[in-house]
Amino acid sequence: MNSDDLHDVVEFLARTLPFSALSAEERSEVARRLSIDYVPRAQQSALTLTGFLYLIRTGAFELRTQHDELIDRLGEHEIFGVNTLLEGNTGGIRVFAIEDALVFKLSSDDFTALCERYQPMRQFFQQISEQRHRQNRMLLDRDVQPRFEQPLNQSVRQFAHLGPVIGQSDISIKAAAGIMREHRVSSLLLMNGDTLAGIVTDRDLRNRAVAEGMDLTLPVSGIATDEPSTIDVDAPLFDAQKLMTQQQIHHLPVMEKGKPVGMISATDLVRAQQVSPLYLINDIQRQSSLDALAELRHRIPRLIHNWVQVDTSPYEMGHILAAIGDAFVQQCLRLAKLEVGEAPMRFAWLAFGSQARMDQTFASDQDNALILAREPTPEEADYFAALSDWVCVALDRCGYVLCPGDIMARNPKWRRSVAGWQAAFDDWIDQPTPEALLNSSIFFDVRVIDGDASLLDPIQAHLAKRTPKADIFLAMLTQTAVRSRPPLGFFRQFVLKSSGEQEDALDLKHRGVALVNDLARVYALASGVTVANTQERLLAVKAAGTIDSELAESLIEAWSLIAHLRIEGQSNALANGEEPTSFVDPDTLSSLTRAHLKDAFATIKRAQSLALQRFARGQLG
């Protein structure tokens, strides 16, 4: 290697972790010990990793499991072969070139000497090895879930009572009660031939038959619930809990290929596992007073801390927290109706923002509204005003603080009929003023929490037709979305907050996850996609061909990394008795995490530029 070549290699090492931490003289010594290989993309077999650490000079590689599932993609300045050198690659990770590549190689003897001489080097390589081993094991052992995650993904089959107790729908009330007593069950499935016709429970027997003095020789179908809700035997247990909570039922017939095969009850869900969110949701729906309901909010931080400790993904955690938040809203509405009475018409309680996207963290505020089936009379308007005020104040007591911007159902501006909401969205699309664009960043992320979900359908259908054709609106929404940039400057250096309480920190919310949320929203509106969750939006627009597949996957990875760091920091702050924030000091992160975070910010920056070109002709406005 001549002096010019050596100089280039030393410069390359100066920009490559962890060698950038060495002195110039030490990097020169490492450079002299490197050899270089060319790896063609056409090479179909996995690389032989024995005996070398590999540094990618140019090109790209994929890391795959022994079952050929993708673990990671690596490019220039990244490293592989660490697992083999440190532990003999016991996980069977394989490496393939996906582009023509040049790699520097450092022999195992030189690698060992380097790690012994510089302890931080060994720690860095150990972190890489552990991370890739963990990714590999997660893919190989998908069915072996951590203790706190198990109830979230287990199927109904594992907790239901299979082998249902059944009777024909034309038997008498007395005969039905006899069957239930004989089998010691609290519910009976009623069949019409081979078809599920209804369900009768011990509560039905008490409240609809005995208490009413009915003739017990009458058909049991007269007190049964016709066409009951059901759940598939292989559905997640979480779905059963949500369905029971939403419909206020305690028994759910379990189906397989259209036939009843069992029953699952609320008691079955409670016994699943007390550390799971199912237990908390069950407690939420059982509370009969606001005081008791509000006390349950104190259990959420500890649950989140448990999920963080077992590496629950931000996507799954967001769905869990959304289900808990939904349960609080639903129970507040039930308690409110005890105070103000039943609603005079059909309505739907909406959530916007983070609750709609299912990416809430600690101390989220409220963003909610009502859809009314029609324009209300003055008396009906007064009812919904009282209902909304009661619920919003109650949610504030439960830890979901009042929205400082007053985007809540208690504001009469946000209680509208279907036609009223369509008109509001049309105004924002047709006249994209700064206020309208701000509203769009909130109200286009929408989900029904309680009430008649069908009321949202015509609004969503209307938007799905309008927004893909609204070029000026999409252009201005994109310009607004990219005005805030990720905190990455020249030479991939972090741009830190320069003043205030969080000086020298990174804002992981407003300059991280929120930027991906904004991009996903633009692409979703341009594609007529109506889901609100950011990851699901990106997958949907990828499937629609609106966004490059690789970019969509990279944005999902970037969002997941930043969201994980954010909620991990908040959890640790609460555990230490500190106020949780969305800021992180980059000096507290490992070198590897900082490198991945820089890659995530770079991905967002690139995605913003591409969106600006696509929807706004590259003009920032």
Side-chain angles (χ1 to χ4, degrees), residues 284-537:
I284 291 170
Q285 67 176 343
R286 289 171 50 226
Q287 302 310 311
S288 58
S289 73
L290 180 55
D291 288 342
L293 185 64
E295 280 301 306
L296 296 180
R297 73 186 187 276
H298 300 300
R299 288 167 52 180
I300 297 176
R302 183 58 190 168
L303 283 175
I304 295 176
H305 189 71
N306 288 336
W307 301 329
V308 169
Q309 298 311 302
V310 296
D311 287 332
T312 304
S313 73
Y315 172 80
E316 185 175 36
M317 196 180 301
H319 279 64
I320 297 167
L321 290 173
I324 292 171
D326 292 357
F328 272 111
V329 171
Q330 290 155 3
Q331 193 63 14
C332 284
L333 278 164
R334 293 186 193 111
L335 295 176
K337 289 175 185 176
L338 295 176
E339 295 280 341
V340 300
E342 289 297 321
M345 71 173 81
R346 292 181 302 125
F347 74 94
W349 185 278
L350 302 178
F352 302 110
S354 61
Q355 188 175 9
R357 291 191 304 270
M358 301 185 181
D359 62 10
Q360 287 176 299
T361 58
F362 295 87
S364 295
D365 63 356
Q366 300 179 43
D367 289 309
N368 48 51
L370 289 183
I371 304 176
L372 306 180
R374 53 176 168 74
E375 291 297 329
T377 64
E379 293 78 13
E380 291 169 339
D382 288 343
Y383 168 87
F384 285 111
L387 178 77
S388 301
D389 189 66
W390 201 102
V391 173
C392 289
V393 171
L395 287 173
D396 183 62
R397 286 193 56 191
C398 292
Y400 300 91
V401 298
L402 297 172
C403 174
D406 205 20
I407 299 175
M408 292 179 289
R410 66 190 299 194
N411 182 342
K413 188 177 180 180
W414 308 127
R415 298 193 298 269
R416 296 170 178 260
S417 65
V418 172
W421 277 109
Q422 289 176 332
F425 280 112
D426 281 342
D427 285 344
W428 296 332
I429 293 168
D430 294 334
Q431 302 178 52
T433 63
E435 181 182 0
L437 294 170
L438 175 62
N439 286 336
S440 298
S441 69
I442 299 169
F443 289 94
F444 280 94
D445 299 352
V446 59
R447 188 166 59 87
V448 173
I449 305 301
D450 201 16
D452 189 343
S454 68
L455 293 174
L456 182 60
D457 293 341
I459 300 172
Q460 295 279 43
H462 179 72
L463 293 176
K465 290 181 180 179
R466 284 227 55 194
T467 55
K469 302 173 184 178
D471 293 342
I472 294 176
F473 169 73
L474 289 173
M476 297 186 70
L477 189 64
T478 304
Q479 291 169 344
T480 301
V482 304
R483 280 203 173 91
S484 182
R485 297 283 184 167
L488 198 64
F490 292 110
F491 309 113
R492 291 171 58 87
Q493 297 301 308
F494 289 128
V495 177
L496 305 179
K497 195 170 183 289
S498 59
S499 62
E501 186 178 347
Q502 299 295 338
E503 186 177 357
D504 295 333
L506 296 171
D507 185 347
L508 298 180
K509 178 181 179 181
H510 298 101
R511 301 190 68 185
V513 290
L515 303 185
V516 183
N517 293 339
D518 290 343
L519 288 169
R521 183 184 306 110
V522 170
Y523 276 100
L525 294 176
S527 307
V529 169
T530 58
V531 294
N533 176 263
T534 292
Q535 179 169 321
E536 292 166 13
R537 275 175 164 170

Side-chain angles (χ1 to χ4, degrees), residues 62-63 66 83 128 151 182 196 199 208 229 252 265 341 357 371 407 424-425 468 483 488 544 557 575 608 611:
E62 284 185 346
L63 273 60
Q66 58 190 353
N83 293 70
I128 292 180
E182 177 186 353
L196 178 64
I199 181 175
R208 298 179 180 177
S229 297
L252 198 57
S265 68
R357 291 191 304 270
I371 304 176
I407 299 175
F425 280 112
R483 280 203 173 91
L488 198 64
E557 292 172 7
Q608 287 183 326

